[in-house]
Amino acid sequence: VSGFADDITLLAAQRRPPPPALHVEFPATVDSLRPALAALMQWLEQQRVGSNDLMALAHAVGELVSNVIDHAYHLVEGAAEEIFTLRAVLTGAGDAEVEVADGGAWREPERPADRGRGLAMASGLVDHLELDRRREGTTARAIHRLHRPVELFTDTHGGPASGRPPPGELTHRLEGNVLAVSGPVDQLSVDAFRSVLRRASVGGSVPVVVDLGGVTRLASAGVQALLEALDEGPGAGTANPDPALRLLAPVGSPAQHVLEVVGLRYDAAGPAPGDMS
């Protein structure tokens, strides 16, 4: 009889050459938001990173890009080019370093009612976030340790990683008092998202369950829209307001990660249709 009398641990490692760095430029307009994120996701997929890392970097870098689009060039008169640069590199330690740089002027946020969460969200989603503010522009740098799922007896040349937020428009379906929302909730779709919430809750007078399980990206603009809808509930402003809506965000979904970061209450397994008790 041959064999071993104790347990054996087998450790396998795969050495891969580092991927080339990503370096792209875009106009500082809202139409550049999704193409910039698509470029980053394509670069990350070359590393075959896990879905949680894809989600975290897509949301964090999306907030950094949105910040440039909204604020970078508002104080710069006669700027030659209103653009931003997106750079990404994989370090020898296995960290993704992603930079969003602009040639605009930094201003301290005034934190009006509908702003001020983007950088906080980005910081909460990645391992490290830093801002380098100079006269010639601002560079935001996100650093995040990447993880790759173990692949055993599988085709390593398969399709794209499952965690990639697919492109597409915001869609919704209302069944009873449950509103299921799918697609990206970002600067491009937030007005439509607000309109959908208002219609479903009849301006905050009817309780609604908002199922965010199909949302591929929940930006800070979408978080603000949810807060506005919550404030419209019956008895808003009183000691015991009734919520206009309850949020359903399944465990592991992009919405669940974002709601955890911003501290918004949600259900991981929501009430059945018709049950708002």
Side-chain angles (χ1 to χ4, degrees):
V1 178
S2 62
F4 297 89
D6 203 350
D7 295 335
I8 297 176
T9 299
L10 176 65
L11 176 64
Q14 182 184 26
R15 294 178 62 87
R16 296 170 59 98
L22 174 70
H23 188 131
V24 289
E25 290 185 347
F26 295 92
T29 65
V30 70
D31 291 336
S32 297
L33 175 60
R34 293 181 188 173
L37 291 181
L40 177 64
M41 293 300 99
Q42 184 177 18
W43 180 82
L44 287 169
E45 284 174 359
Q46 296 176 22
Q47 282 70 262
R48 301 189 64 84
V49 302
S51 58
N52 285 344
D53 295 329
L54 285 168
M55 180 282 305
L57 283 166
H59 280 74
V61 175
E63 295 303 328
L64 301 181
V65 171
S66 297
N67 203 50
V68 171
I69 293 169
D70 286 346
H71 302 298
Y73 292 97
H74 287 200
L75 300 182
V76 180
E77 296 183 1
E81 286 187 289
E82 296 187 357
I83 63 173
F84 67 90
T85 302
L86 174 64
R87 308 185 190 95
V89 64
L90 181 65
T91 71
D95 295 332
E97 290 190 4
V98 186
E99 292 183 351
V100 178
D102 63 71
W106 175 264
R107 60 178 175 182
E108 292 298 332
E110 299 174 358
R111 297 193 182 278
D114 62 339
R115 304 300 303 170
R117 294 182 180 85
L119 291 179
M121 278 179 51
S123 179
L125 287 164
V126 296
D127 295 329
H128 180 70
L129 178 69
E130 59 188 43
L131 296 175
D132 183 9
R133 305 190 287 261
R134 304 186 182 186
R135 291 176 60 87
E136 61 269 23
T138 300
T139 298
R141 182 178 298 106
I143 302 174
H144 192 66
R145 174 62 55 91
L146 297 182
H147 303 84
R148 180 184 299 168
V150 176
E151 297 174 339
L152 296 176
F153 311 112
T154 60
D155 178 9
T156 59
H157 302 286
S162 61
R164 178 179 180 178
E169 300 301 318
L170 184 72
T171 62
H172 69 280
R173 184 181 70 257
L174 182 63
E175 294 183 357
N177 68 333
V178 178
L179 174 67
V181 183
S182 300
V185 183
D186 54 19
Q187 287 175 296
L188 290 168
S189 61
V190 68
D191 288 339
F193 184 55
R194 282 193 178 96
S195 178
V196 167
L197 291 175
R198 272 205 190 109
R199 289 201 307 270
S201 65
V202 193
S205 62
V206 176
V208 173
V209 178
V210 183
D211 183 352
L212 301 171
V215 170
T216 55
R217 178 170 176 257
L218 181 59
S220 57
V223 172
Q224 178 61 33
L226 290 173
L227 288 169
E228 293 168 2
L230 287 165
D231 287 342
E232 290 178 348
T238 65
N240 298 296
D242 296 323
L245 53 86
R246 290 185 182 177
L247 308 180
L248 169 59
V251 173
S253 65
Q256 187 252 344
H257 286 280
V258 171
L259 296 179
E260 282 285 340
V261 169
V262 300
L264 253 182
R265 185 176 179 180
Y266 67 93
D267 293 323
D275 178 16
M276 290 292 293
S277 58

